Amino acid sequence: MFDSASRAVRPFVPLRAGEIGMYNCGPTVYDRQHIGNLYSYVVADVVRRTFEYFGYRVKQVMNITDVGHIVGDADEGEDKMAVGARRAGKGPLQIADEYTRLFMEDRRKLNVQEPGVVSKATDHVPEMIDLIQRLIDRGNAYVAADGVYFDTTTFPGYGTRLNAESPEQRVAGARVEVNPNKRHPSDFALWRAAKPGDLQQWDSPWGRGNPGWHIECSAMSMKYLGDTFDLHTGGEDHLFPHHECEIAQSEAATGKPFVRYWLHVRFLRVDSERMAKSKGGFYTLDDVISWGYDPLAFRLLALGAGYRNGLDFTTKGMDAAQSRLERWRRTIRTAYAATRGRVAEPEGDHAITREFRDALADDFNTPKALAAAEKALNLAATVDTDEQERALWMLFDMDRVLGLSLKESATAKEELSADEHAVFDRREAARKAGDYTKSDELRKELLERFGIQVKDTKAGTRWERVGRKGA
RNA sequence: GGCGACGUAGCCAAGUGGUAAGGCAGAGGUCUGCAAAACCUUCAUCGCGGGUUCGAUUCCCGCCGUCGCCUCCA
């Protein structure tokens, strides 16, 4: 896998054999998560599933940031949680709970498995305070007028562990006013003293206030995974400063290496541009669903691109993914019916399975893995039932990682409603009577009114729900 | 301004020093009352210009273009 810290692909070797500790930087729950956020969790999910597929036990921890963090140091702008709360006329915790719920719902729709531990920042303030105290005791942090800061000069290599650009080079482009309370411009806040009107504040040895943004991830990841753990994931935007700060404060506090492998997901783009509210490309999963797409088509789209290259979200791309998904389902359903639900593990190492596994083992190359799956699909479309049984076994096996509910689509049974059935029967009658004009009319009606595609096959008339696209 | 990534067919997207996976769309065909589905066939010399090499899309240099980061952000 590719490790951001060494900027190279290197073999993955876990700390403890057969076991992996993995931490995902979670969302700040002050608003709905957009598809870009969701995309990064789909990637994390595929990573987790891949490790499990290869037999590892994965302990996955994801945080929920339910404390508002406006700024690193210069206090400008407004607390995000506060903004969200005021907008809805509710308290910060209600807001956090509400958006957390919606977030978890979106994840389920995308077949993203639940992490073993989901930890909320507000539940871990004591741990953060402990950690800050340790840093002060060790001389890595100092108390200033408006909070506690990490002294970056005490941590050699600060800001360069994951980034090629040195801190000196950054100063040139600095665009935020330097806080005069800090000893060095690059120092970052661990604890911020409360200001009048702060909705969320806690007591601490340094007075009332709230924790800095970076400290929560250090405190929670180490609590659940230990001082050193295997894998830390996040969006590319976290490379700097968030993860650099995490490294600095964690390693300074423990004197041990913090994370063994870093994985950063490139941003999802909308029509080739970064999604941003100002550009109008801020979409939620519900938007995507309302346009007539299956959430799993979005997952398939995500799988179709390498996580390090980012994903370009376009309606064309979604159309392609939707068509592809529907074809997979049809093929599998047909094959499953042909084998009467039997599947058979191929003897020995099947070339297709091997191709699939090699692709995943090569830095989670899901596009390549999908190509292997397409080969299995071709096999499933043959008339040889032995071949089909093997193909189905392989597809269901692959689905442990792909997470496209292939098995469910094979066995899904759907019924026509009474209304639909009536139209369907009338068409059958017209067709039998040779009245093709009328039968074609009714077929069109089924499609346009109910989203039902009628197919006349040698084996009789079939139908299928295809949904209605476009908006 | 600094740092980084990328530029492969109409679109999305893998990949390799020896003439380029897969998907979507399209075209032709088989099947069909017609459709739909399915199946078969078909569809690229890899941004531009140099260089290294027996040979480069793949390595190096330059240029052009796109995108991201430079302390809110998955």
Side-chain angles (χ1 to χ4, degrees):
Chain A
M1 64 167 288
F2 183 89
D3 172 35
S4 309
S6 42
R7 259 159 267 143
V9 175
R10 57 192 186 97
F12 183 84
V13 182
L15 199 56
R16 282 180 295 274
E19 226 179 283
I20 290 171
M22 168 177 177
Y23 184 85
N24 308 136
C25 262
T28 303
V29 285
Y30 67 105
D31 198 352
R32 294 237 36 183
Q33 299 301 303
H34 57 246
I35 51 177
N37 296 320
L38 265 10
Y39 168 60
S40 77
Y41 299 110
V42 169
V43 172
D45 183 57
V46 168
V47 168
R48 169 187 165 171
R49 286 168 176 264
T50 298
F51 280 124
E52 288 178 338
Y53 181 84
F54 287 125
Y56 291 98
R57 282 219 333 269
V58 178
K59 179 162 186 189
Q60 184 184 16
V61 179
M62 179 181 72
N63 67 293
I64 295 287
T65 300
D66 53 358
V67 179
H69 301 293
I70 346 143
V71 279
D73 348 285
D75 285 329
E76 55 183 51
E78 209 173 353
D79 185 303
K80 280 201 271 190
M81 290 300 301
V83 173
R86 204 186 45 237
R87 193 175 55 218
K90 292 181 188 164
L93 285 180
Q94 279 176 285
I95 290 298
D97 284 349
E98 174 70 6
Y99 287 122
T100 300
R101 214 199 73 234
L102 290 168
F103 170 56
M104 298 310 281
E105 222 167 76
D106 284 346
R107 289 170 57 102
R108 277 190 290 278
K109 286 179 189 160
L110 291 170
N111 275 350
V112 172
Q113 298 185 314
E114 262 189 55
V117 178
V118 176
S119 64
K120 300 200 296 186
T122 49
D123 289 340
H124 296 79
V125 174
E127 283 87 344
M128 297 185 221
I129 291 175
D130 284 350
L131 189 57
I132 295 169
Q133 190 60 55
R134 278 166 80 186
L135 289 167
I136 294 175
D137 293 344
R138 296 181 66 126
N140 296 106
Y142 56 90
V143 181
D146 60 349
V148 181
Y149 291 94
F150 185 89
D151 184 339
T152 50
T153 59
T154 65
F155 189 77
Y158 166 74
T160 61
R161 297 287 288 273
L162 303 173
N163 295 274
E165 188 183 18
S166 71
E168 296 75 51
Q169 289 170 310
R170 289 177 199 283
V171 177
R175 58 186 197 193
V176 174
E177 250 181 82
V178 174
N179 183 330
N181 291 310
K182 296 197 299 186
R183 289 185 194 162
H184 316 283
S186 59
D187 290 354
F188 55 90
L190 297 171
W191 186 264
R192 296 211 320 267
K195 291 194 299 294
D198 275 357
L199 293 172
Q200 294 170 294
Q201 31 177 295
W202 291 264
D203 283 317
S204 82
W206 321 284
R208 289 185 70 76
N210 48 65
W213 176 38
H214 316 298
I215 196 72
E216 62 169 88
C217 283
S218 288
M220 294 193 278
S221 61
M222 292 197 286
K223 171 175 177 181
Y224 294 107
L225 298 170
D227 291 347
T228 302
F229 58 94
D230 295 300
L231 182 59
H232 195 310
T233 73
E236 60 172 322
D237 53 322
H238 283 162
L239 279 165
F240 186 88
H242 187 51
H243 289 156
E244 292 285 357
C245 295
E246 276 187 49
I247 293 173
Q249 66 202 8
S250 302
E251 300 196 351
T254 65
K256 295 180 210 159
F258 179 44
V259 169
R260 293 158 55 82
Y261 299 85
W262 289 90
L263 183 150
H264 291 93
V265 182
R266 280 271 261 164
F267 274 129
L268 171 136
R269 280 156 280 138
V270 171
D271 295 328
S272 300
E273 296 220 340
R274 173 169 179 180
M275 161 155 28
K277 281 177 179 167
S278 56
K279 286 173 185 154
F282 185 90
Y283 303 131
T284 63
L285 187 62
D286 284 344
D287 289 332
V288 175
I289 294 170
S290 75
W291 299 331
Y293 298 113
D294 190 307
L296 293 181
F298 177 69
R299 185 174 172 109
L300 184 57
L301 180 75
L303 261 28
Y307 76 92
R308 277 201 285 142
N309 291 322
L311 181 66
D312 196 7
F313 180 90
T314 60
T315 52
K316 260 187 160 175
M318 277 304 298
D319 285 343
Q322 180 77 32
S323 300
R324 190 181 196 180
L325 180 65
E326 284 171 8
R327 203 192 87 240
W328 281 37
R329 287 175 172 164
R330 268 195 303 269
T331 303
I332 288 171
R333 200 175 303 138
T334 306
Y336 201 73
T339 67
R340 294 201 183 78
R342 275 204 307 272
V343 301
E345 179 170 1
E347 284 178 38
D349 242 6
H350 197 287
I352 292 176
T353 301
R354 199 164 51 239
E355 186 181 332
F356 179 78
R357 293 176 183 172
D358 286 348
L360 289 178
D362 180 16
D363 196 29
F364 315 102
N365 192 330
T366 48
K368 216 172 178 181
L370 289 183
E374 292 283 351
K375 288 184 186 168
L377 224 42
N378 284 338
L379 234 49
T382 57
V383 288
D384 179 341
T385 50
D386 287 342
E387 205 71 278
Q388 286 179 308
E389 288 179 18
R390 282 193 286 273
L392 287 171
W393 184 90
M394 288 190 277
L395 285 165
F396 294 157
D397 178 61
M398 293 173 181
D399 201 42
R400 287 161 52 202
V401 175
L402 303 179
L404 297 170
S405 298
L406 298 181
K407 183 129 195 190
E408 288 76 355
S409 66
T411 55
K413 286 261 189 325
E414 287 188 286
E415 301 292 331
L416 290 176
S417 71
D419 275 3
E420 294 163 345
H421 212 59
V423 180
F424 185 82
D425 286 346
R426 275 198 287 144
R427 176 178 181 272
E428 275 297 277
R431 187 158 177 274
K432 285 225 171 68
D435 186 351
Y436 291 123
T437 313
K438 183 164 186 202
S439 123
D440 286 351
E441 258 172 42
L442 293 169
R443 179 170 61 197
K444 200 173 164 201
E445 182 181 338
L446 281 165
L447 182 62
E448 291 180 352
R449 232 176 99 193
F450 305 117
I452 289 172
Q453 177 79 61
V454 176
K455 311 184 254 195
D456 301 316
T457 69
K458 322 126 254 228
T461 305
R462 298 285 167 77
W463 58 270
E464 176 189 357
R465 277 183 210 284
V466 295
R468 301 201 299 111
K469 287 188 208 103

